[in-house]
């Protein structure tokens, strides 16, 4: 039985994953995050209120649904506890419905300091990390030094922590990094005590049992395909596999359990942080789209870089993920434009190509096709019939180019602003 559907981003993150997981979650029993950590910022807006989730899966606001933080996630207990308390303050029960895999790794304060020190050393070549300690925490995981959630219940946890912390201090000396806040260690251990009261589980057993019982699971991706550690625009990427395959390793479920893959993308592109971005708009129009789309980071507040939709990149992402349904986000942001450009090919080393080359930063020039804008407010549309013809044409154009159907269009940030096709 294929009981696990996956929803993930096809661009450089911030496609609107949180909103869609919240919308789809009533059809599922379990929502599970499988990679990334508090570098993610998933925004949900309903009943006039806005919530930004960093570690907790986006099903938490729906009654009954179980939310699991999988083994592939890196958890900063300070961030997680703050998040739980903020949601509880809204009168929503969290602890009953939140499960945490014992195999998930912990982000220590010194991972954050190392992140900052490493970025500072890179100077103008910096990745533009969110500085949440993601890279250093995954480095300790793959280097087989990491601390896992399951370790916090063991008698030697403090000793293990000290060992790794001392190593980090040595590394920080190498970086000449002096901004060390010892007080954060005490706060971190307080959060660890809080974590001990939560439901720490063997996530892989829990999910595979749930599958046997016929329960439906939705795996919620973080970041986006073009930030994937293997297939993204390396080295300007995050440190985890953000693609569908990451859901298998990040949850402990076999590939043949994966069902639908929802691939989510914006009607244009954004990127926050450094790295190549062939269709970037460094002009007034880019500024305009950024302002209409409120393109400022949910985690860091940084302005997001903005550009046209890139079909070679989208096709690449669809292929890597085995996307079965597309979800088009933020169509409303382009409503004012007379003409909408879509990149269909690249000029690359005297050739015209329709795929993503190895190095996007070197001599890639986008080739565009211009489509007619719809120039109508679509934010109140509820059905396909209400959508302007030019928008439906734009969608057909994308579908024909990438070979997958669009099943939902998002026409505004609110939970209610969604059109099912
Ligand atoms: P995520 O990281 O993929 O969950 O996305 P973010 O929450 O970081 O960024 C998406 C932003 O776009 C948030 O501010 C959302 O409230 C907003 N948003 C989502 N869907 C739409 C939409 O269809 N139209 C508009 N205008 N905003 C949207
Ligand atoms: P969600 O889940 C957008 C970007 C950072 C930086 C690079 C590496 O909200 O879509 P890291 O902190 O992982 O070392 O940063 O990846 N990045 C994101 N960009 N959305 C995200 O998450 C991101 N998480 C990381 O800006 O360029
Ligand atoms: Mg985000």
């Amino acid at each position: 039985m294929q009981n696990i559907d996956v929803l993930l981003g096809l661009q450089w993150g911030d496609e609107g994953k949180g909103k869609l997981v919240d919308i789809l979650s009533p059809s599922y029993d379990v929502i599970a995050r499988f990679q990334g950590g508090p570098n993610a910022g998933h925004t949900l807006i309903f009943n006039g209120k806005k919530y930004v989730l960093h570690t907790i899966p986006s099903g938490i606001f729906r009654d009954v649904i179980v939310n699991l933080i999988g083994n592939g996630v890196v958890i900063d207990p300070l961030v997680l506890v703050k998040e739980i308390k903020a949601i509880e303050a809204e009168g929503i029960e969290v602890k009953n419905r939140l499960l945490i895999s014992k195999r998930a790794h912990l982000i220590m304060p010194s991972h954050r300091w190392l992140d900052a020190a490493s970025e500072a050393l890179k100077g103008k070549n910096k990745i533009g990390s969110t500085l949440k300690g993601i890279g250093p925490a995954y480095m300790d995981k793959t280097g087989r030094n990491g601390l896992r959630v399951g370790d916090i219940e063991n008698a030697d946890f403090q000793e293990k922590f000290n060992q790794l912390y001392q190593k980090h201090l040595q590394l920080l000396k190498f970086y000449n990094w002096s901004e060390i806040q010892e007080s954060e260690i005490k706060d971190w251990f307080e959060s660890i005590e809080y974590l001990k009261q939560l439901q720490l589980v063997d996530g892989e057993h829990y999910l595979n049992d749930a599958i046997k019982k016929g329960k439906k699971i939705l795996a919620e991706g973080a970041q986006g395909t073009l930030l994937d550690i293997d297939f993204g625009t390396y080295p300007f990427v995050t440190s985890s596999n953000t693609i569908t395959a990451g859901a298998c390793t990040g949850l402990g479920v076999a590939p043949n359990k994966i069902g639908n893959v929802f691939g989510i993308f914006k009607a244009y592109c954004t990127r926050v942080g450094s790295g190549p971005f062939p269709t970037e708009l460094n002009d007034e129009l880019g500024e305009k789209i950024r302002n209409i789309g409120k393109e400022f980071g949910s985690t860091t507040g940084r302005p997001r870089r903005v550009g046209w939709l890139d079909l070679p990149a989208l096709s690449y992402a669809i292929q890597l993920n085995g996307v079965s349904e597309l979800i088009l986000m933020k169509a409303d942001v382009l409503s004012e434009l007379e003409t909408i450009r879509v990149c269909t090919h690249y000029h690359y080393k005297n050739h015209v190509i329709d795929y993503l080359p190895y190095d996007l930063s070197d001599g890639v020039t986008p080739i565009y096709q211009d489509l007619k804008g719809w120039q109508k407010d679509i934010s109140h549309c509820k059905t396909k019939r209400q959508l302007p013809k030019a928008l439906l044409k734009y969608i057909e154009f994308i579908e024909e180019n990438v070979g997958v159907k669009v099943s939902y269009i998002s026409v505004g940030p609110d939970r209610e602003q969604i059109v099912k096709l």
Side-chain angles (χ1 to χ4, degrees):
M1 227 194 291
Q2 290 153 336
N3 282 25
I4 305 194
D5 292 345
V6 182
L7 183 144
L8 42 70
L10 301 179
Q11 295 164 325
W12 281 287
D14 302 329
E15 296 89 350
K17 298 174 290 292
K19 167 174 168 165
L20 253 290
V21 169
D22 169 59
I23 288 175
L24 297 176
S25 55
S27 310
Y28 293 90
D29 301 294
V30 183
I31 309 294
R33 273 276 307 266
F34 59 89
Q35 45 68 234
N39 48 351
H42 295 181
T43 313
L44 281 65
I45 300 181
F46 54 89
N47 301 338
K49 275 201 158 176
K50 173 173 157 174
Y51 303 90
V52 182
L53 298 170
H54 301 288
T55 315
I56 297 177
S58 301
I60 199 72
F61 294 101
R62 301 289 193 174
D63 289 343
V64 192
I65 292 170
V66 172
N67 291 267
L68 172 84
I69 302 174
N71 58 278
V73 176
V74 283
I75 298 173
D76 185 335
L78 282 165
V79 178
L80 176 60
V81 170
K82 213 167 130 191
E83 212 169 309
I84 294 172
K85 287 184 177 167
I87 300 172
E88 282 181 341
E90 298 285 327
I92 292 155
E93 176 54 53
V94 178
K95 288 186 202 122
N96 271 355
R97 295 181 300 124
L98 182 68
L99 307 182
I100 304 174
S101 167
K102 288 184 195 167
R103 292 178 189 273
H105 279 245
L106 292 168
I107 300 177
M108 296 159 58
S110 41
H111 284 133
R112 271 188 280 114
W113 308 336
L114 283 166
D115 216 354
S118 159
E119 284 282 78
L121 189 72
K122 285 189 168 137
K124 69 174 179 31
N125 295 323
K126 69 175 184 184
I127 292 162
S129 158
T130 59
L131 304 181
K132 301 294 175 189
I134 305 296
Y138 276 117
M139 279 164 73
D140 273 335
K141 174 178 176 175
T142 52
R144 294 154 297 173
N145 298 310
L147 298 176
R148 297 189 290 175
V149 168
D151 296 338
I152 67 175
E153 289 169 327
N154 295 343
D156 64 351
F157 180 64
Q158 179 77 49
E159 192 187 321
K160 272 191 175 162
F161 174 90
N162 289 346
Q163 244 178 25
L164 190 53
Y165 184 54
Q166 289 307 319
K167 186 177 160 195
H168 289 168
L169 291 180
Q170 291 298 320
L171 283 168
L172 287 161
K173 253 191 211 149
F174 161 80
Y175 281 116
N176 239 335
W177 191 256
S178 55
E179 289 168 46
I180 289 165
Q181 304 263 321
E182 289 279 352
S183 63
E184 286 183 24
I185 303 292
K186 187 174 150 278
D187 298 343
W188 191 82
F189 272 99
E190 275 173 24
S191 306
I192 291 287
E193 285 308 307
Y194 189 97
L195 226 61
K196 287 181 184 168
Q197 308 161 29
L198 303 179
Q199 302 186 61
L200 313 181
V201 299
D202 293 310
E204 67 282 22
H205 293 313
Y206 178 85
L207 288 179
N208 283 293
D209 282 349
I211 293 170
K212 279 186 200 140
K213 289 178 188 146
K215 303 233 183 226
K216 290 282 289 171
I217 297 149
L218 180 63
E220 172 179 0
Q223 291 78 57
T225 302
L226 303 176
L227 290 170
D228 181 270
I229 183 72
D230 282 283
F231 300 105
T233 47
Y234 193 89
F236 303 102
V237 293
T238 191
S239 299
S240 62
N241 279 118
T242 59
I243 57 174
T244 304
C248 296
T249 56
L251 295 175
V253 294
N256 62 357
K257 298 290 189 290
I258 304 286
N260 252 352
V261 179
F262 298 101
I264 175 163
F265 69 108
K266 289 182 195 180
Y268 48 95
C269 282
T270 63
R271 163 159 218 175
V272 55
S274 331
F277 185 173
T279 63
E280 183 166 14
L281 286 163
N282 284 309
D283 57 8
E284 270 175 32
L285 182 58
E287 189 68 37
K288 181 173 167 170
I289 297 174
R290 172 160 42 250
N291 288 327
I292 299 176
K294 299 203 175 79
E295 294 295 357
F296 299 89
S298 314
T299 298
T300 57
R302 292 178 291 177
R304 295 178 184 145
R305 299 156 64 193
V306 171
W308 294 118
L309 184 63
D310 183 335
L311 292 183
L314 190 66
S315 299
Y316 184 64
I318 289 170
Q319 173 175 292
L320 287 168
N321 290 303
V323 170
S324 51
E325 288 182 38
L326 286 168
I327 301 175
L328 174 66
M329 304 301 290
K330 302 192 94 159
D332 56 299
V333 175
L334 302 186
S335 286
E336 280 181 30
L337 305 188
E338 208 173 309
T339 304
I340 294 172
R341 308 197 96 180
V342 179
C343 166
T344 55
H345 296 78
Y346 302 130
H347 269 300
Y348 180 64
K349 298 189 175 165
N350 297 323
H351 292 285
V352 172
I353 58 169
D354 63 358
Y355 62 88
L356 221 60
Y358 172 72
D359 187 3
L360 264 187
S361 60
D362 188 22
V364 175
T365 315
I367 302 173
Y368 293 107
Q369 181 146 339
D370 286 351
L371 303 181
K372 207 169 155 314
W374 40 94
Q375 297 191 281
K376 271 197 191 105
D377 177 10
I378 56 168
S379 60
H380 300 289
C381 293
K382 297 269 178 228
T383 62
K384 185 175 176 181
R385 280 198 11 228
Q386 293 170 341
L387 294 174
K389 284 218 167 59
L391 171 55
L392 294 175
K393 277 229 157 98
Y394 168 80
I395 292 165
E396 266 170 36
F397 180 80
I398 296 169
E399 290 176 337
E400 277 166 16
N401 268 273
V402 302
V404 182
K405 289 273 180 202
V406 174
S407 57
Y408 289 91
I409 302 177
S410 177
V411 294
D414 194 274
R415 188 191 261 176
E416 304 295 328
Q417 289 175 298
I418 191 85
V419 178
K420 191 165 193 238
L421 294 185

